[in-house]
Amino acid sequence: MEELTGEVEDIIYKNETNGYCIASFYMGNADTVIVGYLPFVNKGDSLKVTGKFVTHPEYGEQFKVDTFEKIIPETKEALERYLANGVIKGVGPATAKKILNKFGEATIEILRNEPEELTKIKGITKTKAIEISESFIENWELWQIVGFLEKFGIQAASAQAIYKKLGADTIKKIEEDPYILGELSIRVDFTQIDKMALSIGIEKNNLRRIGSGIRHALNLASINGHSCVLEANLITFVTEFLGISEEDVIDGIKDLRAKEQIAVETREEMSTTDGKTEMRLQDWIYLMDFYKTEKNIANRIIAIEQAENIKKINNIQKEIKKVSNIDLSAKQKEAIEQINENNVAIITGGPGTGKTTIIRTIIDLYKKEGKKVVLCAPTGRAAKRMTEATGEEAKTLHRLLEIGKLSDDKPNPDLEVTPIDGDVVIIDEMSMVDMFLMNYVLKGLFKGTKLVLVGDIDQLPSVGPGSVLKDLIESKRIPYTILNKIFRQAAKSKIIVNSHKVNDGINFFEEKDEEEDTLDDFDFIPENNQKKVQEMILDMYESDMQIITPTKKGDLGTKVLNKLLQEKYNPYEDYKAEKKFGDIVFREGDKIMQTKNNYDMTWVKGLEIGSGIFNGEMGQIIEIDNSEGKVKIKFDDDKIAIYETPDLEQLEHSYAITVHKSQGSEFNQVVFPIMQVAPMLLTRNLLYTGMTRAKNRLVIIGSKYSVEFMINNVNTKKRNTGLKFKLQEV
């Protein structure tokens, strides 16, 4: 690590949202360019920066800043430039010169502690003097915040967000209650906050510390998909994590409950202790937002289902014959009649079982009745698939509900959404819908609207917490149809047949005699050498092919495969602009994926302008403008968005993606490498989900043992939720 001291001569680029900055830096006898997260830094500031020199492929040598500290300008000239740069309210170049000429070395003391002295300068009233002093003190405090937080491992990028949340006296507020940082919805690790708190003398069994530890534990559980935690397990975890007694944790739970920050739900459930299974009462602990969300879902969906069925079509069987020239199966007719007889209905089944035919028939039936049918799905790719399959426009749920940026970037059960203008709302890929998104959907529905939920319960659950589709079905409060028959046309596809075999726990290695017209759309290539599998993937890759893998790590993980595939299929060329961001090189022509929800990203689609690019959306880099530091991306649904340099942290290459990221998507050709990885990834539903992403061709390459292990491994991680219980209690 090197240390430089100097003055910011000019700001070349600055992202006001996260503080990422590129600036020219003068060190008395030399200058350089510094880059990094430098919130609160302005032209004229004197800094001490720590980091290292790096070489940018286009811009040459730069100093990459890890940490920085604002320092008082050491010379009269430097202080004058700082005061004159417009940061201090009421002070421009002329006033700055007057102040320095009048007070010299005492200037900072006057500005901080004796503002009335400024009135001795012509043109500065008492009011203006106080205004100048307050502005200087505010900026002075900003100087201190970065250094104060850096001592506790909190990076400069977070410092700006913290100041925006806490405002004046930020340091004082943090010193009085460090755990306030955990409630600001910024990326600060609880262990960092706790370290800070203990270092300034907060006791281990302080009630505020215990409460924050409990909330942290519940948040950790939500990352793994749980909406609640069994009280006994929570007490054990927090006791060990914070190094306190069980009695202390119980006191913390009582305190949070009294403050309505958590909720406790008592359920009578089967429980096993010492080999004995019996019904007993058990307490489950929720963060209040999670509890309210489940409660809202249960109350609203039952209210919609029990409302008057005003959209019912008379003589439904006769009407089906009028709109459909397809010979529907008994199950398909049952599903359509169930939708007609109820305000809420669920259709679940694997590929080739006729879900799309049911959706098309429902559209035709209700459009004939003059009703408006709204189609939607949780992701852009899923919505696009729905549009292609039905010929009708489908929107993402976020776009349909016009969900803007969530308050404090966290779930909000009380968030207002745009009401859905439709008589029948059909949601596809329901297995991907988490509890918070489901709550927003139900908030947007009017009583009397029909809601049709379509999905595959055997796929991987939603990335976000909850198991909505599964809980709705298992509650038996919502009518549902399970489609389990593969239609004849679909049965010609070995992809579909083998996917169903896997789902039924049957090995697809032993081929049965095939019908003459069976499609040759599936291959399994046994290979135990990872390097050879790599070579096969590189040899067979085509532009309309998607590599899907269980993991990010290792020789067959997305990180390594993306680098290799980019090198071979989109290599460096003189005519292709590229941009390096961290260890990743983005190049014109690259396939990319958005990896987090960005509600503010503006996009253009023809004459339409909107905002919001969401986790999992895929596209291609069509232009890189290095002079402006901008990257233009065209997404698969034809939206075009322009990313600035700091936004690139939201992107990764998508020549290869994980099975989890592939949910809701369908690709013409899929290559699916499977080797020995973490056992938690070798599950039946992960294999099944990956296989069902392929539309026209699927190639599985890898270890026969690992594939067999996945087929037999049904020990998918159970999610702790309470929606089923609440539905049954309504």
Side-chain angles (χ1 to χ4, degrees), residues 663-678:
Q663 280 182 271
S665 300
E666 190 176 61
F667 307 96
N668 282 332
Q669 301 185 71
V670 169
V671 174
F672 192 0
I674 298 173
M675 300 289 278
Q676 189 62 45
V677 292

Side-chain angles (χ1 to χ4, degrees), residues 205-382:
N205 63 349
N206 177 282
L207 207 53
R208 181 76 167 117
R209 176 177 186 253
I210 297 167
S212 294
I214 291 168
R215 290 172 59 87
H216 172 67
L218 292 169
N219 277 316
L220 286 178
S222 73
I223 293 170
N224 291 317
H226 306 298
S227 63
C228 53
V229 176
L230 196 61
E231 184 180 48
N233 293 344
L234 179 67
I235 291 170
T236 300
F237 175 84
V238 177
T239 297
E240 295 176 2
F241 182 66
L242 296 183
I244 55 179
S245 70
E246 288 191 359
E247 290 74 17
D248 289 332
V249 180
I250 292 168
D251 287 342
I253 291 172
K254 288 177 181 176
D255 183 60
L256 290 179
R257 194 175 182 184
K259 293 174 179 174
E260 297 187 344
Q261 293 183 16
I262 64 170
V264 180
E265 183 171 78
T266 303
R267 309 178 205 155
E268 188 176 21
E269 299 174 314
M270 294 294 292
S271 178
T272 302
T273 306
D274 298 328
K276 185 180 179 182
T277 301
E278 60 183 355
M279 294 293 290
R280 64 177 61 162
L281 293 177
Q282 298 195 102
D283 287 338
W284 292 85
I285 312 294
Y286 288 82
L287 287 168
M288 186 55 76
D289 285 347
F290 286 72
Y291 179 78
K292 286 173 66 176
T293 297
E294 281 192 351
K295 197 80 174 167
N296 289 348
I297 293 171
N299 288 335
R300 288 194 176 108
I301 203 164
I302 295 299
I304 292 168
E305 168 53 16
Q306 292 181 347
E308 184 182 354
N309 187 0
I310 58 177
K311 304 296 190 314
K312 182 177 179 179
I313 298 173
N314 294 323
N315 302 316
I316 185 69
Q317 293 182 359
K318 184 179 176 183
E319 295 300 320
I320 290 172
K321 290 178 182 177
K322 289 182 182 178
V323 300
S324 178
N325 55 7
I326 298 173
D327 187 17
L328 299 172
S329 71
K331 274 284 186 184
Q332 287 177 313
K333 289 177 183 175
E334 176 191 319
I336 294 167
E337 289 171 10
Q338 198 172 68
I339 291 164
N340 187 53
E341 292 294 327
N342 299 277
N343 286 327
V344 184
I346 298 169
I347 303 167
T348 182
T353 56
K355 297 192 298 292
T356 301
T357 300
I358 293 172
I359 293 173
R360 287 198 199 109
T361 306
I362 291 296
I363 294 169
D364 293 340
L365 277 169
Y366 286 94
K367 282 180 74 176
K368 184 174 178 293
E369 294 288 315
K371 306 299 183 189
K372 183 177 180 181
V373 181
V374 174
L375 306 182
C376 48
T379 67
R381 291 187 71 90

Side-chain angles (χ1 to χ4, degrees), residues 537-538 540-542 545-549 556-558 561-562 565 591 654-659 662 667 669-673:
I537 291 171
L538 290 171
M540 68 174 64
Y541 182 79
E542 296 175 4
M545 180 178 285
Q546 184 61 56
I547 311 302
I548 296 177
T549 174
L556 296 176
T558 55
L561 289 176
N562 272 318
L565 287 161
K591 292 172 68 174
S654 64
Y655 299 96
I657 62 176
T658 62
V659 176
S662 75
F667 307 96
Q669 301 185 71
V670 169
V671 174
F672 192 0

Side-chain angles (χ1 to χ4, degrees), residues 174 177 623:
I174 294 171
D177 179 14
E623 184 182 341

Side-chain angles (χ1 to χ4, degrees), residues 583-648:
D583 297 329
I584 300 175
V585 175
F586 291 106
R587 188 173 293 138
E588 289 177 347
D590 273 343
K591 292 172 68 174
I592 58 86
M593 173 182 277
Q594 177 81 9
T595 62
K596 60 180 71 172
N597 289 340
N598 185 330
Y599 297 87
D600 293 331
M601 179 65 70
T602 300
W603 51 260
V604 177
K605 183 178 180 179
L607 298 176
E608 185 181 2
I609 299 175
S611 63
I613 304 290
F614 299 103
N615 189 359
E617 292 197 51
M618 296 172 70
Q620 186 175 35
I621 296 175
I622 57 174
E623 184 182 341
I624 295 176
D625 184 345
N626 279 304
S627 63
E628 295 287 331
K630 294 180 178 179
V631 177
K632 184 184 286 187
I633 295 169
K634 184 175 184 179
F635 287 90
D636 288 347
D637 59 355
D638 296 327
K639 296 195 302 278
I640 293 176
I642 295 176
Y643 285 62
E644 296 187 348
T645 300
D647 301 322
L648 298 181

